Amino acid sequence: MRRPVDPDEVVARLRQAPPRGVIARGQGRAYGDAAQNAGGEVLDLGACADVDLSRLADDGTIVAQAGATLDAIVRATVPRGFFIPVAPGTRQVSVGGAIAADVHGKDHHVRGTIAAHVTRLRIATPVGVREVGPADDLFAATCGGMGLTGVVLDATLKLLPIPSSHVVVDTDRGPGLDDVMAAMSEATDDRPYSVAWVDAMTRGAALGRGIVTRGRWARADEAAREPLDARSLPLPPALPVNLLSRPAAEAFGALWFAKAPRRRRDELQRLTSFFHPLDALRGWNVVYGPGGVVQYQFVVPLGAADVVRRVLEMLAVRRVPSALAVLKRFGPRRGGPLSFPIPGWTLAVDVPARTPGLAAVLDACDALVAEHGGRVYLAKDARLRRELLPVMYPELVTWRAVRAAHDPDGVLRSDLGRRLGLDGGER
Amino acid sequence: MIDGLGRPQRILVVGASSDIAAAVVRALAARGGLDAALLTARRTTAVAELADELAAAGVVADVATWDATDDPEALVARAWADGDVDLVLVAVGALVDEDAIVDDPARLAGAFHTNLVGPATLALAAAARLRAQGHGVLVVLSSVAAVRPRASNLVYAAGKAGLDAFAQGLGDRLADDGVRVLVVRPGFVHTKMTEGLEPAPLATTPGRVAQDVVAAIAGRRSTAVWSPPAVRGLMAVLRVLPQGLYRRVSRGR
């Protein structure tokens, strides 16, 4: 692992790459092996973290180096009345990583992925440094390209002007999956953000019961007394110590569901607790024990909503414990060839890695998802089998062609790329 | 690559005609994610059926002849020709005619070659490749016999003891290189090799050994597998018995 001090050093490392190649690494938040490169070189971009705010007041844009975190950006820009245009579940991701994973937030159906808000990218490829805009093939291939098209040096981001640092939230409890999906499908003009926590442990009529929260920015007068502020929650929410076992996960699910209001309107929440509830719990995934956690996230087209039900059923039948299942709805905006979101329903489930039989049940879920035109999120993946990749990502061929044009010798390599055969089978 | 659930994609199995090795291969294939396997035996006919089973399951299965006296470099080069190998299983070894060797010392070297020099040399050749690729697991089939010999198995036990120590040391050497060495110590296993022998206490089957091995591979941290797990405690006791008592307990076994 190397830690380049500036973009010039990144360019130099790409020119002198070792035999097993190079991959860039941001905050290392991908759940699998996206930022690993066994036997090769990993470039930690943490020292290339400058954020240029000089144009923010003029045109609402910033230029951020790839190693800058969304957290650092938010802390600098919220007091000035701007927020990140797309907010993934944690702010502890780098700009480069957010682009490589083409992250989405709770408002995809309104605002799309982060790529939709990047006006310019500067990328170092083995054949040279390129500045590209959204119309460029390399731009589309890089957003969602898991770092395998080049190393992003910096990005120009168009930020979101915000009236306050608070969100007005409506909460609804849905006794079953159909109720949850109905609540999320309601007109959302005035509630652009929506997400549901779903109980992954219940079956029968209560399958997929959940808590739907929908939000919008609070107007200045609604949040008059609260200053624009990006501080974390003072206290983390209470979580049981051990979520590994099924009984514990079931009990947690029942408690979490019961504690939520059946229906609440216009609650004022700080932006940190609405957008990033898990950031307040540093090291929260220790609750999954020594085996660690596997996250499974997929999306299926709107017409295949039943797949969500069937996946929850399969997990319940095979007794897979999970206390965290999150449902979102993606809108019509499509990204590049490897960008994850398609219009439809996306479910993300956290499970302990050592659950017996987990490999088989997730393989079965993959088959179901692929059969219905869906896909698994590569930024979360640690176990997808390679033969399903071209099925789930039919534009893989296009992506490989762009990569081959800019990295003909396959300098950009990662363990994810090897495992899934992203680069066309080189190992 | 070995995925997040401990499933390898490409494997090399040396001595795949062994019942235990075959059971491990089947267990790995059953978990899914296995793309390719290179199986070796002294005669490829012995692994043809296993290769066919793998092919039917969608695994690209290749076979090669290899004997403990063959050159390991050529085999390793062939295994790595198509890319990284995620898991190497060294299952070379055999019980020997202990009485015949004791009566004819010239045969001792050959027995040690089968059970120690051959597999250890192969393990070294594979280790170099694994280190260069920065990831992978080397599984070495040892035995509880490595813990303490007895009159009836001194040659086999000595070979296994040497291989066991070598594998542990190799694991220590490779620890910082992203490569794990897993030493497997089965107790008495009902296999072709032990047919006709009187089973020892805690006897087990190849299938159960395979489950323990696959679980240890998935565990990502273990460096030793005792199969069945209880045999570890049994050997810990046997290892420290005074010699007189031990001889009495192991007489005739």
Side-chain angles (χ1 to χ4, degrees), chain A residues 20 33 38-40 290-291 294 353-354 358-360 362-363 382-387 415-416 418-420 425 427, chain B residues 1-5 7 9-10 30-36 82-84 86 131-135 218-221:
Chain A
R20 286 178 67 91
D33 44 8
V294 162
R354 299 242 180 122
L358 184 63
L362 291 183
D363 281 352
R383 34 63 52 206
L384 178 69
R385 286 160 314 138
R386 56 198 285 138
E387 56 265 24
D415 288 351
L416 178 82
R418 281 187 192 97
R419 180 168 54 83
L420 293 180
R427 291 180 185 268
Chain B
M1 303 299 305
I2 293 184
D3 76 6
L5 297 178
R7 302 185 299 178
Q9 294 179 304
R10 301 187 71 242
R31 281 195 86 210
L34 189 59
D35 293 332
D82 292 331
D84 291 0
D86 308 319
R131 186 200 288 116
Q133 73 185 18
H135 70 94
R220 291 204 274 197
R221 237 166 269 195

Side-chain angles (χ1 to χ4, degrees), chain A residues 25-46:
Chain A
R25 182 183 179 88
Q27 295 292 302
R29 295 302 157 125
Y31 281 76
D33 44 8
Q36 286 165 217
N37 183 14
E41 194 164 287
V42 174
L43 294 180
D44 175 353
L45 275 269

Side-chain angles (χ1 to χ4, degrees), chain A residues 70 74 83-91 93 98 102-108 110-117 157-160 193 275-276:
Chain A
L70 298 189
V74 164
F83 193 58
I84 41 180
V86 166
T90 170
R91 293 197 306 273
V93 300
D102 203 12
V103 295
H104 57 269
K106 305 186 211 228
D107 58 348
H108 180 274
V110 175
R111 297 180 62 74
T113 60
I114 196 166
H117 307 277
L157 287 168
K158 187 112 174 43
L159 299 190
L160 177 69
Y193 298 100
F275 287 106
H276 306 122

Side-chain angles (χ1 to χ4, degrees), chain A residues 186-310:
Chain A
E186 275 167 23
T188 52
D189 289 348
D190 62 337
R191 293 283 187 269
Y193 298 100
S194 82
V195 66
W197 169 88
V198 167
D199 192 338
M201 305 302 296
T202 46
R203 298 176 66 179
L207 184 113
R209 68 180 177 183
I211 305 163
V212 180
T213 49
R214 291 177 297 149
R216 62 164 171 82
W217 290 99
R219 295 186 309 269
D221 58 285
E222 286 170 315
R225 262 190 296 263
E226 310 279 344
L228 276 171
D229 180 354
R231 269 179 302 153
S232 299
L233 279 179
L235 286 169
L239 271 185
V241 171
N242 177 16
L243 293 180
L244 275 181
S245 67
R246 270 189 62 257
E250 280 170 356
F252 173 78
L255 261 170
W256 201 251
F257 182 77
K259 130 185 182 339
R262 200 168 299 123
R263 185 189 144 96
R264 183 197 282 168
R265 292 288 174 268
D266 298 330
E267 176 201 358
L268 202 64
Q269 284 187 12
R270 291 170 121 143
L271 69 85
T272 49
S273 58
F274 180 72
F275 287 106
H276 306 122
L278 289 172
D279 275 359
L281 303 166
R282 267 178 219 295
W284 60 274
N285 45 348
V286 299
V287 300
Y288 289 97
V293 67
V294 162
Q295 183 169 106
Y296 185 68
Q297 179 167 9
F298 66 91
V299 58
V300 283
L302 282 174
D306 195 56
V307 172
V308 176
R309 172 176 298 278
R310 289 169 67 185

